[in-house]
Amino acid sequence: MLLVIIPTYNEKENIEELVRLILDLKNNPHVLVVDDNSPDGTGKIADRISMTHPDRVHVIHRSGKLGLGSACLHGFKYALNHGYDLIMTMDADFSHHPKYIPEMVRRAQDFPIVIGSRYVPGGGIRNWGILRLINSRSANILARAMLRLKAHDCTSGFRIFRKEVLLALDMDSIYSSGYAYQSEILYRCQLRGYHASEVPIIFENRRRGASKISRKEIFRAALLLFKFWIKPLKIKK
């Protein structure tokens, strides 16, 4: 069974339509909204949706804005405790469209990790400025070079993990609470022998609301790469 984890912070304009599209998919996914006490009331909207679909939509309320990586890890622990076999993460702003989920689920039958990828043939980005494109490309080039990652889109948050991958990770040892977690968890998975398959997606800039990525988050991600480059992790398989 598939659980789709959606971290949220101020996504009231998107969350209801996004969850509806996910629930309409034929493979009957469940949804977990992990809300970081959104001031705009996103958590209350998620609660209302959950009351309508109590068996398929679940909500975790956290005390404040604790970070994307922290929200995903919180969701992973929930998924493992509740017996889900496939665990997906995706953004709440429609940059990751639910239409790609069925193909990603199909690919997960043969691969332990599946990434919705902007940087493989057939993938791409729409409605980004040149500076954001350069930043994203540079981050992926650095992650691949410094951590020797095999994936082409190391910073994509649109992913499926099979249960056995998450069970093999020591999630409490993951350093990153923010966006740097995307590269770190791939690094840890690869060290344990788990490699990703990439499904091409078209990444569209958010329809509504504001981006949550700050310069501080970008700086922290760069620092993490240098940390692991200087002192690589040693993980016992």
Side-chain angles (χ1 to χ4, degrees):
M1 186 179 295
L2 171 67
L3 179 69
V4 180
I5 300 167
I6 309 174
T8 57
Y9 185 78
N10 286 350
E11 294 291 354
K12 70 175 184 179
E13 297 169 306
N14 299 307
I15 190 63
E16 192 159 10
E17 182 183 357
L18 180 67
V19 172
R20 177 182 61 79
L21 290 174
I22 294 171
L23 294 181
D24 285 345
L25 295 173
K26 293 181 179 179
N27 51 337
N28 196 41
H30 288 194
V31 174
L32 174 65
V33 176
V34 182
D35 185 68
D36 275 4
N37 197 24
S38 297
D40 72 348
T42 300
K44 292 180 180 178
I45 296 171
D47 283 338
R48 176 166 51 79
I49 300 169
S50 179
M51 290 177 65
T52 306
H53 305 278
D55 295 331
R56 296 184 62 195
V57 179
H58 316 284
V59 185
I60 292 175
H61 296 277
R62 305 203 304 165
S63 60
K65 193 175 181 183
L66 304 177
L68 173 69
S70 171
C72 290
L73 294 173
H74 201 142
F76 289 157
K77 292 177 181 179
Y78 177 97
L80 294 177
N81 287 335
H82 289 80
Y84 290 95
D85 301 310
L86 295 175
I87 300 96
M88 167 174 273
T89 59
M90 67 184 299
D91 291 347
D93 60 6
F94 279 97
S95 54
H96 302 152
H97 200 283
K99 66 184 178 183
Y100 297 109
I101 292 177
E103 176 56 31
M104 293 175 70
V105 170
R106 282 193 288 271
R107 192 74 65 88
Q109 307 311 308
D110 299 314
F111 294 91
I113 306 166
V114 179
I115 298 173
S117 178
R118 300 161 288 183
Y119 300 131
V120 293
I125 297 170
R126 288 181 185 158
N127 304 320
W128 270 16
I130 186 65
L131 183 59
R132 192 172 178 189
L133 283 168
I134 291 171
N135 285 339
S136 178
R137 282 287 191 180
S138 299
N140 275 281
I141 289 170
L142 281 174
R144 282 168 52 82
M146 298 177 75
L147 303 185
R148 299 183 180 179
L149 296 177
K150 304 299 183 183
H152 293 84
D153 197 341
C154 304
T155 59
S156 171
F158 199 10
R159 300 174 175 177
I160 291 180
F161 296 88
R162 291 210 305 239
K163 176 176 66 175
E164 62 264 29
V165 177
L166 298 182
L167 286 171
L169 295 178
D170 178 7
M171 285 187 277
D172 291 331
S173 70
I174 292 177
Y175 296 107
S176 312
S177 61
Y179 286 85
Y181 130 91
Q182 308 285 22
S183 297
E184 181 180 351
I185 198 168
L186 274 187
Y187 177 51
R188 289 175 179 272
C189 287
Q190 187 169 296
L191 288 175
R192 290 191 175 277
Y194 296 110
H195 296 276
S197 176
E198 295 181 81
V199 171
I201 66 164
I202 300 299
F203 183 103
E204 298 191 38
N205 200 22
R206 66 166 46 245
R207 298 180 180 183
R208 297 176 288 268
S211 173
K212 312 302 188 299
I213 301 178
S214 65
R215 291 182 180 178
K216 184 183 289 187
E217 287 287 354
I218 294 172
F219 180 70
R220 286 175 177 169
L223 279 182
L224 184 81
L225 293 180
F226 280 102
K227 176 185 178 70
F228 289 142
W229 180 58
I230 293 169
K231 189 177 181 180
L233 285 178
K234 293 181 181 179
I235 294 178
K236 295 180 181 179
K237 295 184 181 180

